[in-house]
Amino acid sequence: MMEQIITQASSYAAQIDNVIHLIAAIVGVWLAVAFYVFFSFIFKYTRKRHPKAAYITGETHEDGKWVHRAHFVVIACDVVILVFAAMAWHHVKQQLPPAEATIRIVGQQWAWKFTDPGLDNQLDTVDDINTIDELHVKVNTVYHFKLEAKDVLHSFSVPVFRLKQDAIPGRVITGWFKPTKTGEYDIQCAEMCGIGHGVMAAKIVVETPEAHAAWLEQHKSQNITQNIKTKNLKKLAINK
Amino acid sequence: MKLVFTLAFLLSTTTFAKSRGEELFNLCMSCHGQQGYGNHKVGAPAIAGLPKWYITKQLTIFASGGRGKHPDDDAGNRMRPMARTLTPEDIKDVADYVSILKPQTPEKTLHGDLEKGKALFVVCAACHGQNGDGNEVLHAPTLKISNDWYLVTQLKNFKNKIRGADAVTDAFGATMSPMAATLPDEEAMKNVITYVQSLKQ
Ligand SMILES: [Cu+2]
C-alpha cells in the first residue's frame, strides 16, 4: 500500500511500512465496526419503531460489560501495535549494524552539507569530498552518518528511506541506513529552522558501485586541493 | 468629464498601489533591513542603491548555484535559498526596486593603512574605477555603498575560491577571483578596503 504511494529504497523501509499497515488495518477494522453500529442504530431506533428513549446509567454489571470488554480488546490491539513499533524502533534507531562507510551530514541555515570519506573511506582526511545539497551513496551498502547542526534545529528526512532524524546543535548523532534501490530521491529538512526552511531541500543519489566510483574519481582532485587549503587539514593535524 | 474621472482613478491606483518589487522586498527586509542597509549579525550586506544590472546578475547566479553554494560559505548559503524562491520575473522587479532605494554611507569599522591601501587599489581601479564607482561594461560593481566588513569577506571568498571559482557558473566572479589573489593577506585586504572607504568623502 505505502509502497505504491512512495517507493521503498532502504533496507528498513518495508518494516516501517508494515507498522503503518498494521495500524491502518487495526484502526480500520474498528472504524468499520463503529460505523456499522452507528448506522444500524440510526436505522433500528427510528422514532417510528422506538418512540421513547431509555436512559441507561451503565451501573449494573450487565450494562457495564459492553464498556469493559471493548476496553480490553482495545488495549490488546494497542499492545500488538506497540510490540511491532518497538521492534521497528529498535532495528532502525537503537542498534547499529557494522558500517561499510561513514559520512558526515551537517544541517545549516539553509543547506545540507555532506562529507563523503573519499577513496580511502576514512573521514577527516585530505581526500574527503564535500558537497552541498547533493549526497551520493552506493546501493546495498551500510552507511553510518554523523549528523550535526551548525546553528539551529534541523531534521534530516529521506522519505523513500523512511528515515527522519533531528539534528541538534552541539550534538553529533550517529545513525545508519542501507540504500536498496538506485535512483535520485528527495531530502527535506523536517524541522522548522527559519525563513528558508521550506526550500532547504537536497538530493540523494543512490548509485551502483561503478557509478559511485566514477563520481569519486571525478571529484577527487578538485577537493584535495580545496581541503588542503581550508580547515580540513588543520583538523587533521589537531587529531594526530 | 467621465474621461477625467477615469484618468484620475487610474493615476491614483498606480501611484498608491505597491509595486511588485516593493512587495517582494518584504522578504529581503528580514535580513537586509527595512531600508536595505544590511545587518552584520546575519552577514547580510547593504544592497540599497546597488546598480540594477549587478543585483539581477547576483540574484540569478545565487539561484542557479553559481554563488553561495560552497560548503564553507555560510552567509552565501543563507542568501542562495532566498534567491531560489524568485522567478526571473521577480528578480527583475525586485532588482528594479532595490536599485532605486537611497544608498547609505556605511559605517566605518576598519582602521587599515590608507597609504598601503591606496597603492594596492591601483590594480582595482582598472575595473572598479578611480573612485570605486564601478564599471558596467566590465561588470565590476561599485564598492562605495557596501559595508566594509562585507567587502573584506568577499575578498577572502574570492581568494579562497569560495566565490567566483568556476568560470562556467559565475563568469564575472571568475574575473575578480585572480584579482583578490594579488592581495597577499587579510592585512592587505583591510588596507585596500579602508582606502575604498576613504573615497566617499
Ligand atoms: Cu528546516
Side-chain angles (χ1 to χ4, degrees):
Chain A
M1 198 165 67
M2 283 298 287
E3 160 94 86
Q4 272 77 54
I5 299 169
I6 174 165
T7 186
Q8 299 169 335
S10 79
S11 58
Y12 47 62
Q15 187 182 8
I16 288 172
D17 283 357
N18 284 340
V19 175
I20 295 172
H21 293 156
L22 181 76
I23 294 171
I26 290 178
V27 174
V29 166
W30 281 105
L31 185 76
V33 169
F35 269 107
Y36 174 75
V37 170
F38 277 132
F39 281 107
S40 59
F41 279 14
I42 288 172
F43 182 72
K44 194 169 169 194
Y45 298 109
T46 53
R47 191 163 176 214
K48 209 153 76 205
R49 289 184 205 146
H50 292 270
K52 191 149 171 63
Y55 183 70
I56 300 165
T57 56
E59 275 163 5
T60 67
H61 183 72
E62 188 58 24
D63 293 341
K65 75 180 181 197
W66 289 100
V67 176
H68 306 317
R69 287 184 186 169
H71 253 151
F72 284 125
V73 181
V74 168
I75 288 171
C77 290
D78 272 354
V79 171
V80 171
I81 291 174
L82 275 176
V83 166
F84 280 90
M87 271 157 54
W89 180 264
H90 178 78
H91 179 56
V92 177
K93 300 261 181 175
Q94 301 288 99
Q95 56 131 11
L96 274 175
E100 292 169 74
T102 302
I103 54 171
R104 179 176 297 119
I105 304 172
V106 181
Q108 65 185 70
Q109 287 175 323
W110 292 280
W112 289 107
K113 187 153 97 185
F114 304 106
T115 307
D116 188 280
L119 289 173
D120 65 355
N121 208 14
Q122 200 76 43
L123 273 181
D124 295 323
T125 52
V126 279
D127 71 343
D128 285 1
I129 297 172
N130 294 315
T131 51
I132 285 270
D133 293 352
E134 200 173 308
L135 172 60
H136 285 250
V137 291
K138 246 186 307 188
V139 72
N140 294 325
T141 306
V142 176
Y143 278 89
H144 283 192
F145 57 79
K146 303 271 173 203
L147 182 60
E148 299 172 27
K150 205 162 184 173
D151 32 41
V152 297
L153 288 176
H154 298 280
S155 184
F156 181 71
S157 164
V158 188
V160 292
F161 285 3
R162 310 295 190 270
L163 167 65
K164 191 184 278 175
Q165 175 62 55
D166 281 4
I168 297 158
R171 276 179 66 184
V172 180
I173 296 171
T174 307
W176 71 282
F177 58 78
K178 181 180 177 185
T180 52
K181 205 183 256 178
T182 55
E184 258 185 55
Y185 307 107
D186 291 336
I187 294 170
Q188 174 66 48
C189 179
E191 177 66 52
M192 181 59 195
C193 59
I195 192 171
H197 168 65
V199 282
M200 191 173 160
K203 207 165 62 174
I204 181 164
V205 184
V206 180
E207 47 203 11
T208 59
E210 300 79 54
H212 192 68
W215 180 81
L216 283 181
E217 197 58 38
Q218 190 195 335
H219 287 74
K220 177 178 74 171
S221 54
Q222 70 204 53
N223 271 274
I224 288 179
T225 41
Q226 191 65 44
N227 288 346
I228 289 171
K229 257 205 205 112
T230 52
K231 63 187 187 309
N232 276 325
L233 197 69
K234 264 185 249 146
K235 206 189 261 168
L236 236 189
I238 294 165
N239 287 346
K240 287 222 169 111
Chain B
M1 197 60 200
K2 225 174 175 180
L3 188 73
V4 175
F5 271 125
T6 322
L7 277 178
F9 177 72
L10 277 178
L11 217 68
S12 67
T13 49
T14 44
T15 41
F16 290 129
K18 271 193 177 179
S19 69
R20 256 178 60 72
E22 190 175 357
E23 286 197 6
L24 288 163
F25 188 69
N26 277 330
L27 167 66
C28 325
M29 279 197 292
S30 48
C31 294
H32 291 283
Q34 297 278 334
Q35 290 146 304
Y37 291 167
N39 179 354
H40 195 168
K41 281 199 207 93
V42 294
I47 52 174
L50 282 174
K52 187 180 171 189
W53 55 266
Y54 179 70
I55 300 170
T56 313
K57 192 243 161 175
Q58 294 309 311
L59 291 176
T60 310
I61 57 168
F62 270 123
S64 67
R67 181 178 170 189
K69 206 181 174 182
H70 191 280
D72 293 329
D73 190 357
D74 289 347
N77 270 306
R78 284 196 293 276
M79 180 57 213
R80 183 170 55 89
M82 298 303 117
R84 281 171 61 207
T85 65
L86 306 172
T87 64
E89 200 57 41
D90 293 344
I91 289 180
K92 252 188 245 141
D93 291 343
V94 77
D96 238 343
Y97 181 76
V98 174
S99 64
I100 58 165
L101 291 174
K102 195 171 153 294
Q104 67 165 350
T105 310
E107 192 196 342
K108 282 185 191 150
T109 63
L110 294 176
H111 306 283
D113 186 321
L114 213 59
E115 285 309 310
K116 285 186 185 156
K118 186 174 179 178
L120 290 165
F121 192 73
V122 174
V123 182
C124 325
C127 294
H128 291 281
Q130 287 298 331
N131 271 316
D133 289 322
N135 183 338
E136 182 173 356
V137 179
L138 299 171
H139 310 285
T142 168
L143 302 175
K144 289 168 91 172
I145 56 180
S146 309
N147 315 76
D148 48 13
W149 54 263
Y150 166 75
L151 295 173
V152 173
T153 318
Q154 296 310 303
L155 289 176
K156 280 190 219 159
N157 286 353
F158 279 123
K159 189 174 163 102
N160 292 330
K161 304 274 181 215
I162 289 169
R163 179 177 171 190
D166 186 350
V168 179
T169 54
D170 182 7
F172 306 140
T175 65
M176 175 58 210
S177 179
M179 299 303 136
T182 65
L183 301 167
D185 51 21
E186 190 170 340
E187 198 56 43
M189 293 174 185
K190 287 189 173 156
N191 290 342
V192 73
I193 298 301
T194 305
Y195 176 72
V196 168
Q197 291 263 305
S198 76
L199 291 170
K200 261 148 222 148
Q201 283 81 39

